[in-house]
Amino acid sequence: MPELPEVETTVNGLRPVLQDQRITLIQTRRADLRRPFPADLGQRLTGATVTGLGRRAKYGLIDTDRGDTLIFHLGMSGRWRIDPSETLPHDHLIVETAKHRLALNDPRRFGSVDLVPTESLAAYPPFAAMGPEPLGPDFTAPYLLRGLAGRIASIKLMLLDQRIVAGLGNIYVCEALHLAGIAPMHPAGQISLPRLKRLVAAIHTVLEAAIAAGGSSLRDYVRPDGELGYFSKQWRVYGREGEPCDCGGKVERYAEGGRSTFWCPKCQR
């Protein structure tokens, strides 16, 4: 599933194509993805001008001058195609401007598209209970210390809890915990402030490197320009079970919360 860096990369790829452009056509080529398309999507967006693009957690945001924001989620296999030479069977939403044609392609249809008033974004149900952005100013070690106080669940599971921090996924949590030297099964409420400071810094480092690399290409995900993200070549532990760690230990894997966790018992405590 595309995680925060993949969505940020997608938004960065769409920005030079859509920013300040007037939408001339909206076409839905089926009734739904994971949920139905908004019934009035074409009526509300045709003729609107894109005023900004952004991201919240794993959702992309496209703001317009009509006071509406289109919210998209890429699900398991979604991606935007820019100026495709042909329309593919799984191109389920077409957006056209005077200069470009974009297609939202989603073979598995686990993605979603919603349209909400921009002023009501904070109340959009998936956003209402979310924690701060991991690259934002509110995500700090003192914040984590307060939020994790008394929690006996593992730090890995707590970082995946969107109420604690928005948008972190399995790959980048494994990588950040390794960089910070923290064992993923360590009880979250027992981690000291100095170690949480290392963890916050590690999360910043891992996410910024992943965004710079264009994300990690897993199965169906590619960038809007069709190129593959290459952060997977920098993975320290994820997907490397049995391989040597830089510290001389060996990467191990275990299952927790329905996900595989990769870590090094030698350097993560």
Side-chain angles (χ1 to χ4, degrees):
M1 177 182 292
E3 296 187 16
L4 185 156
E6 287 76 41
V7 179
E8 184 77 15
T9 298
T10 295
V11 170
N12 290 342
L14 293 176
R15 187 172 288 112
V17 175
L18 284 178
Q19 181 68 47
D20 299 326
Q21 297 300 305
R22 181 174 176 271
I23 297 172
T24 58
L25 172 72
I26 293 283
Q27 178 189 9
T28 54
R29 302 185 66 242
R30 60 173 295 114
D32 58 6
L33 295 177
R34 178 159 46 95
R35 298 190 299 274
F37 284 109
D40 56 354
L41 187 66
Q43 177 183 354
R44 289 167 66 182
L45 287 186
T46 302
T49 297
V50 175
T51 57
L53 292 95
R55 178 194 53 75
R56 177 68 168 124
K58 301 176 187 179
Y59 293 80
L61 310 174
I62 302 175
D63 299 330
T64 73
D65 64 348
R66 291 186 178 174
D68 291 320
T69 295
L70 183 136
I71 305 172
F72 66 86
H73 192 287
L74 297 175
M76 297 290 291
S77 59
R79 64 186 180 99
W80 284 95
R81 304 197 306 132
I82 298 175
D83 294 327
S85 58
E86 60 179 338
T87 300
L88 299 179
H90 298 298
D91 288 344
H92 302 309
L93 174 66
I94 305 297
V95 179
E96 291 186 3
T97 69
K99 297 181 178 180
H100 297 283
R101 187 172 193 266
L102 294 92
L104 179 58
N105 184 280
D106 189 355
R108 302 185 191 181
R109 302 201 308 273
F110 284 124
S112 63
V113 171
D114 289 303
L115 189 64
V116 303
T118 305
E119 63 182 9
S120 302
L121 272 180
Y124 177 61
F127 297 170
M130 277 185 180
E133 288 286 322
L135 292 175
D138 295 330
F139 183 65
T140 64
Y143 160 79
L144 269 184
L145 189 68
R146 294 190 301 271
L148 299 177
R151 304 301 291 264
I152 61 173
S154 73
I155 184 61
K156 165 85 182 300
L157 289 183
M158 286 293 93
L159 291 177
L160 292 175
D161 186 335
Q162 300 298 291
R163 296 168 296 182
I164 299 295
V165 55
L168 288 184
N170 194 43
I171 295 173
Y172 301 105
V173 168
C174 287
E175 291 294 295
L177 286 170
H178 180 264
L179 183 59
I182 297 173
M185 71 288 292
H186 198 294
Q190 298 179 13
I191 301 176
S192 66
L193 182 60
R195 299 189 81 202
L196 289 176
K197 288 181 179 178
R198 287 211 311 270
L199 178 58
V200 169
I203 289 171
H204 289 168
T205 297
V206 167
L207 291 180
E208 289 166 359
I211 292 168
S216 301
S217 293
L218 290 175
R219 298 193 179 125
D220 307 288
Y221 171 75
V222 294
R223 288 150 42 173
D225 60 6
E227 295 296 320
L228 299 177
Y230 55 89
F231 186 70
S232 59
K233 299 183 184 301
Q234 302 177 39
W235 286 347
R236 303 164 64 93
V237 289
Y238 189 84
R240 296 186 55 205
E241 180 183 10
E243 295 183 25
C245 175
D246 290 343
C247 72
K250 182 178 291 187
V251 176
E252 295 186 3
R253 180 186 70 84
Y254 68 91
E256 181 181 29
R259 299 177 177 91
S260 290
T261 298
F262 298 89
W263 74 300
C264 173
K266 184 176 179 179
C267 64
Q268 291 179 256
R269 303 293 180 185

